[in-house]
Amino acid sequence: MTLLMVFYQDIKERLVYWFLFPIIAICSGVLFYNNVIPELFKTSLIINVCFVIFLIFIVFAYSKLKLRTSISETFGLGDGLLFIALAFTFSSISFLVVFVFGLIFSLIMHLFLKNRSEHKNVPLAGYLSMFFAITYMANWFGVIKSVYIL
């Protein structure tokens, strides 16, 4: 439900309440922890957070060096907070696959819907949270076997 709230707020106002991100991290972390052994949880969490930090650093470097602009103009704080919150969701391989496909999904959604929006920036946190909500529902309804074991 919280992921869908992020989607709605980001689409409507391009602003998301900050307290939703810790809720996403805690709820998804509890779900992940309850479905795997503690050692896998710790290892996956470290790998996922390192991947997210590396990705944010790449976006920062690209915006500074190539675009010659500040990161706040190219990447929102909500996007970064959601990336960190999503690091608590799945095991490393599953997280990387779902995250990359979520980014592709976000790009496709933006390309189709950009003419209908009065904003010109991408609601990345919204699109990505909707993709993760769909992934969770697919897992709970048995469409995806398990997102926790890989």
Side-chain angles (χ1 to χ4, degrees), residues 6-150:
V6 170
F7 169 70
Y8 179 76
Q9 287 181 345
D10 202 20
I11 294 294
K12 280 296 211 189
E13 303 168 8
R14 297 297 196 271
L15 295 171
V16 180
Y17 294 129
W18 68 269
F19 62 85
L20 294 176
F21 301 113
I23 293 171
I24 291 170
I26 291 168
C27 291
S28 59
V30 168
L31 284 171
F32 181 31
Y33 185 82
N34 288 336
N35 284 291
V36 297
I37 58 175
E39 292 80 19
L40 178 62
F41 176 78
K42 293 174 192 171
T43 305
S44 294
L45 187 59
I46 290 168
I47 292 169
N48 294 354
V49 168
C50 288
F51 172 74
V52 166
I53 290 171
F54 176 73
L55 189 63
I56 292 171
F57 173 74
I58 294 297
V59 170
F60 176 77
Y62 185 79
S63 68
K64 281 290 186 190
L65 301 174
K66 181 72 174 165
L67 299 177
R68 304 216 188 274
T69 184
S70 69
I71 191 160
S72 63
E73 293 181 29
T74 57
F75 189 73
L77 178 61
D79 301 332
L81 292 174
L82 182 69
F83 283 14
I84 293 167
L86 292 178
F88 291 80
T89 53
F90 307 124
S91 62
S92 296
I93 303 282
S94 296
F95 172 72
L96 292 174
V97 169
V98 173
F99 193 82
V100 168
F101 277 101
L103 291 175
I104 294 169
F105 172 80
S106 299
L107 174 65
I108 293 169
M109 288 290 291
H110 181 68
L111 291 175
F112 280 120
L113 299 176
K114 70 180 177 182
N115 294 333
R116 296 182 183 175
S117 175
E118 63 266 4
H119 303 286
K120 66 178 184 177
N121 55 353
V122 179
L124 181 60
Y127 292 149
L128 202 55
S129 62
M130 182 171 69
F131 187 81
F132 270 78
I134 291 168
T135 303
Y136 271 118
M137 286 188 272
N139 183 50
W140 294 333
F141 291 124
V143 177
I144 300 172
K145 196 160 201 142
S146 179
V147 290
Y148 298 108
I149 55 174
L150 288 177

